[in-house]
Amino acid sequence: MANERYNAREAEIRWQQTWDSQKIFKTENDDPRPKYYVLEMFPYPSGRIHMGHVRNYAMGDVVARFKRAKGFNVLHPMGWDAFGMPAENAAMQNKVHPKDWTYENIATMRSQLQLMGLSLDWDREFATCDVDYYHRQQKLFLDFVEKGLAYRKNAKVNWDPVDQTVLANEQVIDGKGWRSGAEVEQRELTQWFFKITDFAEDLLSEIDHLDRWPDKVRTMQRNWIGKSEGLQARFELTEAAINGDTDIEIFTTRPDTLFGASFMGLSADHPLTKALAKDNAELQVFIEECHKSGTSAAELETAEKIGFDTGLTVKHPLDETITLPVYVANFILMDYGTGAIFACPAHDQRDLDFARKYGLTVTPVVLPKEADAQSFTIEKEAYTGEGTIFNSQFLNGMSIEEAKNAVAQKLESVTINGKPQASRKTQYRLRDWGISRQRYWGCPIPMVHCDECGVVPEKSENLPIQLPDDINFDKPGNPLDRHPTWRQCACPKCGKDALRETDTMDTFVDSSWYYARFTAPWEDSPTDKKAADEWLPVDQYIGGIEHAILHLLYSRFFSRAMRETGHLSVKEPFKGLFTQGMVVHETYKGEDGRWVSPAEITIKESDNQRSAIHNETGESIAIGSIEKMSKSKKNTVDPTDIIESFGADTARWFMLSDSPPERDVIWTEAGAEGAHRFVQRVWRLTQDAQDFLQGSTPDKPEQLSKDALELRKAVHKALAAVESNIEQLGFNRAVAQIYQLVNSVASAAKPQKLESDPSLAWAVDEAMEILIQMLAPMMPHLAEECWSHLSKDGLVSTKNWPQVDSKMLVEDEITLPIQINGKKRGELTIAADADKADIEKAVLESEPVIKALDGKAPRKVIVVPKRIVNVVV
RNA sequence: GCGGGCGUGGUGAAAUAGGUAAACACAGCAGACUUAAAAUCUGCCGACUUAGGUCUUGCGGGUUCAAUUCCCGCCGUCCGCACCA
């Protein structure tokens, strides 16, 4: 029979329909098998899927299909992170309703994803903009309010002037909005916050146990939470200040350097600063000056330390004879610690810069190990290293740690104005999460403003608070504010006319608990606790590194908050996390400097010279750097085009081959063609095997021929390797193993060999069966097609993973490299179980060793059985 | 500035626990088949080379019988954080 080419498009749709009609990927909650929850970060419905999605979902699908074959009850759901700004931008630009725009995009992207043949339980699908979903999110919000985990406060917030909304700290990058890129302004607004700081310590300490998370993400989260332990201490003013204050409270991590103090610093936003400024025009000017300077990285780098002498002085807490001047300084932040510091210029660079500028004293109090107390001075660089305390009265001679303790102990026991002068305190950099957004397309915050009762939570039975459909985007700002009737409601407490909150929730709220909702998306309450406890935590979560802080930290907060409000029991939502690399592509530019897309050009290659010409105009195109696929640089490749020309399996296979999954992968046309050649190669191999075997499984022979035994060994070694590679998410290594095996099978399965060797025919049949099963998680359609072509029973997608025959993994003879002085000089083939003495004897008799020794005795012989022999001459 | 990662052929990369560096693939070259092309198959493919070898994992040291792997110091590159007291 003549070989036919594999028609991927036809076969893939056929198998997708088969899987679908048999509902083989539907997951039941009550199932006796052990559970495995694999989840890929759900997509934002921006319009069309891109190659990054293909890579992400191909990886997740390999894990899901593999675990299913290993006997687990696998939950592998899909949904849509569907609220957000782009829908509103589209509404403003194209006069489309955000809802229509979003649901149309979802429909497009769903059908694109379905072309990939992912083993998803589509019955659990939802979008976060579904009323059913945000209804339950509003319930969670009310529960959080009740527990004090959500609250309202007036706060200085990050205001994005382009998007006209507030941003969380995590969403401000280099002083710019993460989405708009606009310079963020500071504004005072009343906002809703989640009390993420309640869990700061737990969020930090549990990172230690997230051992299946990348270290990088763990480090980033630790730094973000930013714990520092120190002392909160009050410094007594020599005279009461204008507002009646008698002391200034500061936070320090370096109480050991207290005798090096030369001034006090107040933030420009400190209450005392504000009080002093009331009738001090000069100070007012200075404060304004401080506010003007931006917060971007570049500006901070060059910003000069400036200060304003308040004329106030404080007593040194350890020596009343010393007084320190109080300055307002631009480098002190109000929202860290107490907004006030004591400054020790010798051991803090900022304090030193400031002291030099204003001519304040610089007294070193930590002496480096090698330095001499008499001659040690600080010039332009503060000393922040280890050392012994000196110039410090009773602390002299102590280590830094000892001095910290001594100071803390002393000040804890002293009282001023009836209160202890100091207490040990742990500070976190982490701030509460501001979630109010002045947008339409988000989950409405279910609160009511009543003139009589104040801010009142809506009653649960009145949920959902639905978004109105009749809105317009004629003007900037939040359309909910302008809606003629939507705001009007009855106060849930007194029943009088009241107004709804018009802020909606940050879309990161939506994605902070979707993983829990998937465990029972049909429930009236946010979760079915039993189902949530059964499925959670997610065993393997896969997504981009860009979510290392925001989404992953918020989700960790949410699982804790939902635990406190009785919706689930786990603390940590994601047991295993994998952050995959991006899909990147070369960029191309025309002669006039415009970006040109890969589809418009043809690349010529010869002798390592690559050049490109435009398909239509014939102009020569410059090949530029490799960049993340983006519309602006036109270096995108549409997954649907690839699926149409090569099939989904080719796209999946290419995404899994070559590059390690955590690294960026370069999409190339040649690589895609190579992947497709492999698809055809497997299909040819299957047809050849089918031609010979004619659908009958040969009987297992008593004795295997040498060829058959070798093939079996190759098969079972590959099987063991692929299995462990997939377990470790080393998809590229699994792919390489499969390539190698296909090469072995192809060279073994030659007709002339098969005809004369029935045991080889049997081995080839086994090899094909196992090969197809190994391919199935990666190229499921091709695997089904081959499986059925070889008349194997049922669907390969529902088959159990094959068993490794461990007898095939051991060799009775092995080849050891022989080294002479650490350089390879020969080989020795010997029984695998040969002991050291046998090996040494054989090595000393080998030709290269005899030659090298030249009759002399070796200085040393190192024998590592099963590995290597090294003879030192 | 602080913290972390990475650096191996023309390219993507591989190398259990320190033990044969370059598996597997892409590209390229040569040949077979073909009227021709595609597809397919076979071979070559780190560098130098006097054909016996010599050298090779960013650079320089160190530990070791043995280093891509461990240690120290540089260089390059990418990422994160950044006036956090």
Side-chain angles (χ1 to χ4, degrees), chain A residues 404-449:
Chain A
K404 279 181 181 173
N405 269 320
V407 171
Q409 255 170 35
K410 179 136 191 174
L411 295 184
E412 273 169 339
S413 62
V414 181
T415 55
I416 55 166
N417 308 324
K419 284 186 267 173
Q421 183 150 23
S423 57
R424 292 176 210 249
K425 178 129 198 236
T426 304
Q427 274 291 336
Y428 298 91
R429 209 186 75 113
L430 185 69
R431 294 290 118 74
D432 277 339
W433 172 18
I435 58 141
S436 297
R437 296 292 180 273
Q438 293 66 44
R439 309 300 327 171
Y440 162 73
W441 195 231
C443 172
I445 295 175
M447 300 296 290
V448 173
H449 299 261

Side-chain angles (χ1 to χ4, degrees), chain A residues 509-561:
Chain A
V509 176
D510 313 338
S511 54
S512 292
W513 70 284
Y514 77 108
Y515 52 85
R517 184 69 186 166
F518 275 137
T519 64
W522 44 78
E523 274 296 308
D524 285 340
S525 50
T527 61
D528 165 358
K529 188 157 182 285
K530 188 172 155 281
D533 289 349
E534 181 188 315
W535 283 112
L536 294 173
V538 173
D539 294 277
Q540 186 62 61
Y541 196 36
I542 308 176
I545 185 77
E546 66 274 20
H547 294 108
I549 296 174
L550 298 175
H551 163 60
L552 290 167
L553 190 62
Y554 294 152
S555 295
R556 296 182 65 219
F557 159 72
F558 245 81
S559 57
R560 283 163 172 79

